[in-house]
Amino acid sequence: MKILAFSDLHLARRAARELVAASAAADLVIGAGDFCNMRQGLDQAMELLSGITAPMVLVPGNAESADELRAEALPNASVLHGDGMEIDGLHLFGLGGGVPPTPFGEWSFDLSEAEAAAMLAPCEVADILITHSPPKGVVDRTSRGDSVGSTAIHAAIERIQPKLALCGHIHDCWGERGMIGKTEVVNLGPAGTWFEIGA
């Protein structure tokens, strides 16, 4: 399966145009959160992506809530937040939001580490784990060098060992990759990253 994955679109029109064009060659498109800005413009973000005809799997970022994303998602999109699904034999599980809570204030859709751990607990098997936030210690460093990822997400990756763990959130690490056990962890960014994976 050819997968096009991205994160942190933040209403960027050029990036959206390029994703739509590239998606013509995709069997599946994955969006790892932050489609809009500060809970505003999610309908516009979905309009920017409306040219994507491939099936989509989306998780909310901290810039939109799970309920908001479910309400605005395109007809060909499935929203995962503490749940999973199977597509052509591939098992996917998703968790959105900022984990741990961000310093951005009340608008940010965040989860505590305990909340994230509880929502990840039902996942026993996954080929692809999609989270908005990165795992602690991998592709999670700010420009100041601070490691701000999630311990709950790191523990889930260690436990489940998916083939891929896809995330975003920390803009300074867009495009970076790391490993947790046998799992490749990728901080996506808005440019779009291609993966080929079989069940």
Side-chain angles (χ1 to χ4, degrees):
M1 179 182 290
K2 291 183 68 176
I3 298 171
L4 177 64
F6 70 97
S7 71
D8 303 285
L9 182 66
H10 292 294
L11 289 169
R13 293 181 177 275
R14 179 178 176 182
R17 283 196 302 270
E18 292 174 353
L19 288 166
V20 169
S23 72
D27 300 311
L28 175 66
V29 176
I30 293 174
D34 275 9
F35 304 97
C36 62
N37 294 308
M38 298 176 68
R39 310 288 279 277
Q40 302 294 317
L42 185 56
D43 56 338
Q44 299 167 46
M46 292 298 108
E47 178 64 27
L48 290 174
L49 298 172
S50 62
I52 296 175
T53 58
M56 300 177 73
V57 174
L58 311 176
V59 303
N62 64 292
E64 62 275 326
S65 73
D67 287 343
E68 289 162 354
L69 186 57
R70 290 186 186 106
E72 297 290 347
L74 298 167
N76 57 321
S78 300
V79 176
L80 299 181
H81 181 57
D83 49 1
M85 65 184 299
E86 185 178 336
I87 300 178
D88 292 342
L90 280 181
H91 295 273
L92 295 88
F93 194 94
L95 180 77
V99 189
T102 70
F104 303 141
E106 290 187 3
W107 64 263
S108 189
F109 177 62
D110 295 334
L111 300 172
S112 69
E113 293 286 8
E115 289 170 325
M119 294 183 76
L120 288 162
C123 181
E124 297 179 355
V125 176
D127 296 298
I128 304 175
L129 181 66
I130 310 154
T131 60
H132 179 59
S133 295
K136 181 74 172 175
V138 184
V139 300
D140 73 331
R141 293 201 173 274
T142 67
S143 59
R144 297 174 58 179
D146 298 325
S147 171
V148 294
S150 164
T151 56
I153 291 171
H154 192 289
I157 294 171
E158 281 190 323
R159 173 174 59 84
I160 302 161
Q161 287 288 278
K163 296 175 183 176
L164 283 173
L166 305 178
C167 61
H169 190 44
I170 306 304
H171 296 195
D172 302 295
C173 287
W174 284 347
E176 292 188 13
R177 298 174 182 237
M179 299 294 294
I180 297 176
K182 297 179 180 178
T183 300
E184 183 174 30
V185 183
V186 185
N187 187 320
L188 296 163
T193 304
W194 284 100
F195 302 93
E196 192 145 354
I197 186 170

